Amino acid sequence: MEIIRTVKQISSLTSDARSKGKSVGLVPTMGALHAGHISLVERARAENDVVVVSVFVNPTQFNNPTDLATYPRTEEADCRLLEAAGVDYAFIPTVEEMYPEKDERIFDLGQVADVMEGPMRPGHFNGVAQVVSKLFYYTHPTRAYFGEKDFQQIAVIRRMVELERIDVEIVDCPIKRADDGLALSSRNVRLSETQRSVAAGIYKTLKESVKLRSGKTLGEVKQYVIDTINAMPEMEVEYYEIVHPLTMQPLKDWEDAGKLAPVGCITVYCGDVRLIDNIKYKD
Ligand code: PAF
């Protein structure tokens, strides 16, 4: 595996590969890698000739300076995992390399960004669109891999790709969970032992709520999830919305998504750690 730190070099390596007819799989990450990221890398490895993983803590998507400052940075361990997973290029640029000038671009992300994480984290999705569009321009991917834990983020990235007319296939990959069900996240390391065990209740409650779907209204199921999780020690639900899987708009009735499965998206504070998860309400 080669570690690449400049845009010029990654751009030349990947455009060269594409010009020789090779496919390029990109896995964008912010580092602090865990088994969830590695499952994306493995999929990219299986489906492409060349695999690039970017490791970059993108400042423009943090609306909270403390969150940016405390975001875990573990480059050496990340590189060991990436090497073992058979990655060709780890693209690890500095902030100055990615943003030699202030990025003033504002993306018209539309309805997929105007709910849930949109209003809760002003500017966050625009920052994601800025960095992911740059990564797409610099690494020429045939396919790019994203985890479904950030369900709304994938819809935002699809919208950005449509707006920018970028020729890339967006591949969404299932959530990877710990044995007790907690969705793997780089933020989990910030949970105390007690918080970590309570946090497993998020997925347990979501799964339970899927079983309740047939006998209850959507509003009742939503309230069940909020009340159950809020009753757990140190847990506070920021929002729980059951949404249309493509438009991200909150639904009023189960039938409002037609044949598609509604998706329940949750954000919970466990102490001061913000955790997100989601579940599909399939029959
Ligand atoms: O999901 C993430 O880790 C980040 O939002 C991403 C897609 C790597 C952009 O910085």
Side-chain angles (χ1 to χ4, degrees):
M1 183 179 84
E2 265 185 75
I3 297 177
I4 309 295
R5 301 209 184 258
T6 66
V7 167
K8 194 169 168 201
Q9 209 186 348
I10 196 67
S11 185
S12 135
L13 288 164
T14 50
S15 68
D16 192 46
R18 292 298 300 270
S19 70
K20 291 185 176 126
K22 292 184 179 169
S23 57
V24 172
L26 169 69
V27 183
T29 80
M30 296 206 299
L33 302 179
H34 51 66
H37 296 110
I38 299 306
S39 71
L40 307 184
V41 174
E42 283 166 356
R43 175 122 182 234
R45 185 65 286 167
E47 296 178 354
N48 300 277
D49 299 312
V50 174
V51 175
V52 180
V53 177
S54 59
V55 177
F56 179 65
V57 181
N58 172 39
T60 74
Q61 72 187 75
F62 284 81
N63 54 321
N64 174 344
T66 315
D67 199 17
L68 172 62
T70 57
Y71 201 86
R73 287 159 171 89
T74 56
E75 187 181 310
E76 264 180 45
D78 291 346
C79 287
R80 277 197 296 275
L81 287 174
L82 295 179
E83 173 112 56
V87 168
D88 297 292
Y89 305 122
F91 176 47
I92 315 185
T94 59
V95 173
E96 295 68 34
E97 184 67 13
M98 284 299 277
Y99 296 104
E101 284 167 25
K102 190 166 189 286
D103 193 338
E104 308 274 9
R105 292 173 301 158
I106 304 286
F107 291 82
D108 174 16
L109 298 170
Q111 63 174 353
V112 295
D114 69 11
V115 289
M116 303 190 287
E117 296 296 279
M120 287 298 166
R121 303 177 69 188
H124 167 67
F125 282 138
N126 197 64
V128 169
Q130 288 176 338
V131 77
V132 175
S133 62
K134 280 178 181 257
L135 290 169
F136 286 176
Y137 294 135
Y138 304 155
T139 67
H140 310 102
T142 316
R143 302 180 188 87
Y145 296 79
F146 296 91
E148 278 187 342
K149 182 169 75 67
D150 297 295
F151 190 75
Q152 190 180 7
Q153 172 172 273
I154 300 183
V156 165
I157 290 167
R158 287 189 194 283
R159 168 75 180 156
M160 178 279 290
V161 163
E162 184 184 284
L163 283 172
E164 298 293 294
R165 302 183 190 196
I166 302 176
D167 184 15
V168 60
E169 183 190 335
I170 304 299
V171 183
D172 32 3
C173 305
I175 300 176
K176 203 82 181 154
R177 298 183 179 280
D179 289 344
D180 62 5
L182 180 66
L184 296 187
S185 161
S186 308
R187 292 195 164 93
N188 294 354
V189 294
R190 293 182 48 217
L191 297 169
S192 70
E193 213 174 300
T194 323
Q195 288 172 334
R196 173 64 192 78
S197 69
V198 176
I202 301 172
Y203 184 56
K204 197 164 159 268
T205 308
L206 292 177
K207 263 200 323 195
E208 206 49 47
S209 80
V210 173
K211 291 192 206 142
L212 295 177
R213 175 188 168 159
S214 55
K216 292 200 187 296
T217 65
L218 186 146
E220 286 166 344
V221 168
K222 214 174 122 174
Q223 205 53 50
Y224 163 82
V225 169
I226 296 171
D227 293 345
T228 310
I229 295 179
N230 278 342
M232 297 173 186
E234 296 207 58
M235 302 274 258
E236 194 180 339
V237 175
E238 187 175 52
Y239 64 78
Y240 185 55
E241 294 290 358
I242 301 177
V243 304
H244 189 286
L246 301 178
T247 66
M248 301 294 119
Q249 297 305 297
L251 304 177
K252 290 208 168 62
D253 295 302
W254 294 117
E255 292 69 37
D256 291 350
K259 288 203 168 75
L260 300 173
V263 179
C265 298
I266 194 157
T267 298
V268 184
Y269 274 96
C270 183
D272 64 353
V273 184
R274 193 172 185 269
L275 301 172
I276 73 169
D277 203 344
N278 62 77
I279 197 152
K280 295 191 173 74
Y281 285 89
K282 288 196 210 132
D283 286 322

